[in-house]
Amino acid sequence: MDSLQIDSVMLEDTGLSLQLADGSPAYFNYYWLRDNCPSSFDRETRERTFDIFHSRNAPKPSAVKVEERSLVVDWEGEDHQSRYPLDMLASYAYGERRPDPSDLPRKPWYSDHYPDVCRVSHPLLLESNEERRRWMEALLVEGVAIVTDMPDTDEALTQTGLQIGQIRPTFFGPYFDVRTHIKPTNLAFTSKALELHTDVPAEEYAPGIQFLHCRANSVAGGLNLFADGTAVANDLREIDPEAFRLLAETEVPFYKEHDGYDMRSYQRVIELDQHGEVSGVTISQHMADIFDLPQRTFDTYYPAFVCFGKMLQEEKYVMRFSLQATECVTFDNHRIVHGREAYSATSGERYLRGTYTDRGELRGTYRGLVSEGRFK
Ligand SMILES: [Fe+2]
């Protein structure tokens, strides 16, 4: 078949062309059409039940027509008719991604952000979808929010995490306690200063959302330090595009080794999203492995890496505050770098309990709250 005009539809070997409701022409492949017949999906499970791998032949129409703002296709060798609303076809005519309500523009923030940090009360979070939406939107847009009025219990942290999604264990287990340890396995478990970092980049897929519940904080010192890695990376992009490119394209190794485990991964220091926008950073001086790239690469990579690391620490970017008992700071672990100043371990008690969930869980729960999906 070369091409055949039926009604206003032009049939070709591999697909058909028609005019959309707005008059613009559009082409649709026969496989795509057959696979995505509205009857392919079960309304109860909301899953695809049609399996194109079981089709004997390449799909071909035996008859087509446009009626009542729908394309109607009968399929050769099948007793099956498909009916596609033209509006549905229009959404897929140009290969654009399905609109994602969680794909919100990020708002960079700087050292003066603390008074404006989104705050939500723990008891309200548990009962109000609107409060959960507001909280999750802050995590998507600004990457940080504080949950207040947390009960002084272990369960409160888990309960908070579960408002977003399933708890994501790491090699520390399903949660971690940050206080001074006698035999520390991590710098966090000492009273020394903790440089700005993202957590556990040694894991192949580091957890996306972090929760740090402050249970006690009466020590002298130990101010919390937070900075928006995307704000810093965006500025680097302006100041030194070549350094930015190197950090966004080069994978460098991270590690975490102790008794019984030897975690290793390669990560890009600057992460870009599908729009080419900075979506995050991965940085941890205490988990950076010995970089094992060709030595000549370091002639350009190290200056870029050091420049970025120094920028992260500039006063302009670092938000300093003291997390109070009953507060839980929640943040995007792939975007927000965090650390703390040294504190005096004998001056009082400092105890934080932390856990994680993933970015995908956050986006999935957020979409469920604000949109109807395809099946409601
Ligand atoms: Fe950390």
Side-chain angles (χ1 to χ4, degrees), residues 7-39:
D7 213 346
S8 59
V9 183
M10 182 75 78
L11 299 178
E12 300 174 29
D13 273 347
T14 51
L16 56 80
S17 300
L18 79 167
Q19 273 197 345
L20 296 172
D22 68 357
S24 57
Y27 170 83
F28 296 93
N29 171 272
Y30 293 141
Y31 277 103
W32 184 92
L33 284 168
R34 182 63 193 92
D35 202 21
N36 297 301
C37 172
S39 68

Side-chain angles (χ1 to χ4, degrees), residues 190-218:
T190 71
S191 59
K192 292 176 190 158
L194 192 55
E195 91 292 340
L196 290 163
H197 64 281
T198 54
D199 267 17
V200 287
E203 292 211 348
E204 281 185 34
Y205 191 74
I209 308 295
Q210 181 166 174
F211 306 76
L212 272 179
H213 178 193
C214 180
R215 304 280 291 275
N217 189 7
S218 56

Side-chain angles (χ1 to χ4, degrees), residues 76-318:
E76 218 173 77
E78 282 190 82
D79 181 21
H80 188 81
Q81 186 176 73
S82 302
R83 180 174 283 270
Y84 309 89
L86 292 184
D87 288 348
M88 175 262 186
L89 292 179
S91 321
Y92 290 95
Y94 308 111
E96 287 165 2
R97 287 192 180 193
R98 184 150 74 105
D100 179 356
S102 75
D103 186 20
L104 300 170
R106 291 169 206 88
K107 191 173 152 203
W109 53 262
Y110 302 87
S111 60
D112 58 356
H113 184 54
Y114 185 65
D116 301 323
V117 171
C118 169
R119 286 168 174 81
V120 289
S121 165
H122 178 83
L124 275 181
L125 263 195
L126 302 186
E127 63 187 44
S128 163
N129 278 346
E130 174 52 23
E131 283 298 281
R132 287 171 70 216
R133 183 204 61 77
R134 197 166 69 79
W135 174 43
M136 287 187 244
E137 205 160 290
L139 285 171
L140 289 164
V141 173
E142 295 172 355
V144 64
I146 293 175
V147 181
T148 60
D149 308 310
M150 293 280 290
D152 185 22
T153 63
D154 291 353
E155 293 72 36
L157 176 69
T158 311
Q159 202 178 31
T160 304
L162 289 173
Q163 298 307 306
I164 287 181
Q166 295 304 313
I167 298 298
R168 158 76 152 76
T170 66
F171 52 74
F172 290 119
Y175 63 89
F176 55 93
D177 286 318
V178 185
R179 51 184 154 196
T180 45
H181 288 221
I182 307 296
K183 282 174 113 183
T185 57
N186 187 284
L187 187 60
F189 305 152
T190 71
S191 59
K192 292 176 190 158
L194 192 55
E195 91 292 340
L196 290 163
H197 64 281
T198 54
D199 267 17
V200 287
E203 292 211 348
E204 281 185 34
Y205 191 74
I209 308 295
Q210 181 166 174
F211 306 76
L212 272 179
H213 178 193
C214 180
R215 304 280 291 275
N217 189 7
S218 56
V219 296
L223 276 185
N224 298 90
L225 314 174
F226 278 71
D228 181 2
T230 60
V232 184
N234 283 333
D235 286 353
L236 179 70
R237 193 176 218 168
E238 294 287 314
I239 298 163
D240 191 341
E242 181 57 16
F244 177 89
R245 187 190 65 76
L246 284 167
L247 294 173
E249 290 181 0
T250 312
E251 291 192 332
V252 289
F254 293 88
Y255 80 111
K256 176 68 186 170
E257 186 183 319
H258 223 272
D259 299 340
Y261 56 87
D262 179 2
M263 284 282 181
R264 303 182 199 184
S265 77
Y266 287 81
Q267 313 281 357
R268 295 181 168 106
V269 167
I270 294 176
E271 173 203 87
L272 304 180
D273 68 11
Q274 77 266 23
H275 311 294
E277 300 288 333
V278 176
S279 52
V281 298
T282 294
I283 204 139
S284 174
Q285 289 304 83
H286 60 280
M287 287 194 195
D289 204 345
I290 298 171
F291 290 177
D292 50 3
L293 301 163
Q295 287 293 321
R296 283 285 177 198
T297 306
F298 299 136
D299 295 349
T300 49
Y301 188 82
Y302 255 108
F305 180 65
V306 171
C307 170
F308 185 60
K310 284 182 189 294
M311 275 177 78
L312 277 175
Q313 296 169 34
E314 285 176 17
E315 286 302 317
K316 176 181 171 186
Y317 300 111
V318 181

Side-chain angles (χ1 to χ4, degrees), residues 321-371:
F321 64 98
S322 178
L323 196 64
Q324 301 298 315
T326 74
E327 289 181 334
C328 178
V329 60
T330 59
F331 56 99
D332 183 336
N333 182 53
H334 291 289
R335 166 176 171 182
I336 306 301
V337 292
H338 64 285
R340 63 139 202 266
E341 294 180 344
Y343 65 93
S344 159
T346 52
S347 62
E349 198 188 350
R350 187 179 193 278
Y351 173 31
L352 282 80
R353 188 181 179 91
T355 195
Y356 310 96
T357 187
D358 276 321
R359 276 174 160 183
E361 301 273 319
L362 168 67
R363 286 195 279 258
T365 306
Y366 179 80
R367 287 186 201 109
L369 274 177
V370 303
S371 71

